[in-house]
Amino acid sequence: MEEKIGKITHYYSKLGVAAIELLHGKLHKGDKIHIHGHTTDLEQTVDSMELEHQQIVEAAEGQNIGVRVQDHVRENDDVYKPYI
């Protein structure tokens, strides 16, 4: 089972970074996430996370963060985190 925690607001293809708006809960470096959309289905571990160009280890609800992703994602893709 998964919980929707946010959505992709932008993808920076040259950097391989997704801008994520966190809508619910928290996200920690090392957490597993699942990004799913019309043509996207990507599961990965969060290994790099930034807030206003500063590396962070935890992000909270309401923040807009940048996360390095392993593949192309698209605006409005949903971001899920597995239940523990």
Side-chain angles (χ1 to χ4, degrees):
M1 293 296 296
E2 297 178 321
E3 166 188 28
K4 182 177 173 183
I5 60 166
K7 70 174 184 173
I8 304 295
T9 58
H10 193 75
Y11 175 66
Y12 300 93
S13 57
K14 286 189 189 311
L15 301 172
V17 171
I20 299 174
E21 179 183 0
L22 280 181
L23 303 171
H24 303 288
K26 294 185 177 185
L27 185 63
H28 297 88
K29 192 171 176 181
D31 283 352
K32 292 196 181 303
I33 58 171
H34 179 204
I35 301 172
H36 189 266
H38 184 64
T39 56
T40 307
D41 193 7
L42 170 68
E43 291 187 39
Q44 73 168 58
T45 301
V46 176
D47 60 2
S48 176
M49 189 165 52
E50 291 188 359
L51 177 65
E52 297 177 3
H53 306 288
Q54 300 295 316
Q55 284 287 326
I56 58 173
V57 294
E58 177 182 287
E61 186 174 314
Q63 291 182 320
N64 289 295
I65 59 169
V67 173
R68 180 157 296 140
V69 290
Q70 299 165 348
D71 203 355
H72 187 95
V73 297
R74 289 150 191 86
E75 287 183 19
N76 296 316
D77 285 351
D78 292 321
V79 181
Y80 298 91
K81 190 165 110 175
Y83 288 122
I84 295 173

